[in-house]
């Protein structure tokens, strides 16, 4: 009960050294692989989900955009596994750190924008000035469109950070309330514990949805620039 509410968001250390890198490298080790010709049900289901997700995200892309398919699929798997592992007790979720999410969002966004300026520079510049804009409004619209373009990676990172952090805080508060009520009122404890279970199920869905939304938005930025 006396634990700091934000203690779970502090980056852990091992012998004084940050362990964030080890935690980030851990999720890929949990993805099963097979060396056999015939896969088991788990790997078959995994491959089916990857193909379904990849097909849905790549359907709107041209040939150049589809070269990013491996990166986007790897991104959604990484974010999803990291979010899910963060729901385990006494674990650390790297995606609650804005710095890490910015480190993912900025290079991907910058890569998509650079591809757009290299392949379709006229269309890329046309986004800064919609057709039919009155002459007095041209400077203002160019500034607004430039700001909206530059704010895209920040919006990606903040959205993921806020959703994951809010869910963890809410679970922490309800879990603390369940523990406190367990010695006071048993019926109330059961009700709060049921709410906690439902919230946990919701957070599992949120972890997967946020991974999909982050990757889908990156895919849309790529689509606008290819």
């Amino acid at each position: 009960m006396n634990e700091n509410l934000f203690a779970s968001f502090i980056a852990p250390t091992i012998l004084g050294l940050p362990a964030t890198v080890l935690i980030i490298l851990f999720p890929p080790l949990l993805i099963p692989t097979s060396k056999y010709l015939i896969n088991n049900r788990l790997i078959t289901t995994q491959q089916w989900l990857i193909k379904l997700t990849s097909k849905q995200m790549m359907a709107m892309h041209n040939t150049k955009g589809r070269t990013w398919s491996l990166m986007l699929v790897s991104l959604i798997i990484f974010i999803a596994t990291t979010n899910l592992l963060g729901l385990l007790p006494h674990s650390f979720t790297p995606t609650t750190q804005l710095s890490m999410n910015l480190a993912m969002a900025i290079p991907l966004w910058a890569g998509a924008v650079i591809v757009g300026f290299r392949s379709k520079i006229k269309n890329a510049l046309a986004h800064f000035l919609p057709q039919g804009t009155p002459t007095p409004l041209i400077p203002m619209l160019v500034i607004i469109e430039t700001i909206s373009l530059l704010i895209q990676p920040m919006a990606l990172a903040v959205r993921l950070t806020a959703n994951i952090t809010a869910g963890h805080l809410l679970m922490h508060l309800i879990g603390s309330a369940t523990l406190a009520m367990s010695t006071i009122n048993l019926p109330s404890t059961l009700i709060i514990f049921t709410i906690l279970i439902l919230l946990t199920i919701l957070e599992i869905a949120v972890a997967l949805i946020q991974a999909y939304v982050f990757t889908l938005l990156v895919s849309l930025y790529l689509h606008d620039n290819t």
Side-chain angles (χ1 to χ4, degrees):
M1 290 296 296
N2 295 326
E3 182 183 359
N4 183 6
L5 184 62
F6 296 94
S8 59
F9 303 112
I10 300 175
T13 58
I14 300 177
L15 299 177
L17 299 175
T20 308
V21 176
L22 296 177
I23 296 173
I24 292 174
L25 295 176
F26 180 68
L29 300 178
L30 301 179
I31 300 175
T33 57
S34 176
K35 299 179 181 179
Y36 302 101
L37 182 62
I38 301 177
N39 297 324
N40 56 29
R41 291 185 179 89
L42 177 61
I43 296 180
T44 302
T45 304
Q46 170 189 296
Q47 292 178 347
W48 175 77
L49 288 173
I50 291 175
K51 289 180 181 179
L52 180 65
T53 306
S54 176
K55 183 178 179 181
Q56 186 171 359
M57 286 192 299
M58 294 293 108
M60 58 183 172
H61 289 281
N62 54 21
T63 305
K64 180 177 290 187
R66 290 177 182 176
T67 58
W68 286 52
S69 59
L70 181 59
M71 182 183 297
L72 294 178
V73 170
S74 301
L75 178 67
I76 190 173
I77 292 175
F78 171 74
I79 297 177
T81 52
T82 304
N83 290 347
L84 291 175
L85 286 176
L87 295 175
L88 298 176
H90 304 288
S91 61
F92 172 72
T93 313
T95 47
T96 57
Q97 306 296 310
L98 183 61
S99 57
M100 175 182 165
N101 295 336
L102 282 173
M104 290 190 296
I106 291 177
L108 293 169
W109 166 83
V113 172
I114 291 172
V115 168
F117 276 99
R118 288 186 61 185
S119 60
K120 299 191 304 182
I121 186 169
K122 291 184 179 180
N123 292 337
L125 293 176
H127 288 298
F128 293 94
L129 188 63
Q131 188 176 5
T133 303
T135 304
L137 296 179
I138 289 178
M140 183 182 298
L141 280 179
V142 170
I143 294 174
I144 292 174
E145 291 297 329
T146 303
I147 294 174
S148 66
L149 176 66
L150 296 177
I151 209 173
Q152 286 177 352
M154 178 64 73
L156 271 178
V158 170
R159 180 186 294 106
L160 180 59
T161 303
N163 280 281
I164 301 301
T165 303
H168 282 53
L169 288 176
L170 192 56
M171 291 180 64
H172 186 281
L173 291 172
I174 296 180
S176 300
T178 304
L179 185 62
M181 292 294 294
S182 61
T183 57
I184 301 175
N185 191 331
L186 185 58
S188 298
T189 303
L190 294 177
I191 294 174
I192 299 176
F193 184 68
T194 303
I195 296 174
L196 180 61
I197 293 176
L198 295 176
L199 180 62
T200 303
I201 297 174
L202 177 62
E203 282 304 308
I204 293 174
V206 168
L208 298 175
I209 291 172
Q210 288 305 314
Y212 179 76
V213 169
F214 188 97
T215 310
L216 182 62
L217 288 176
V218 173
S219 178
L220 289 175
Y221 295 156
L222 177 64
H223 173 66
D224 292 338
N225 290 280
T226 54

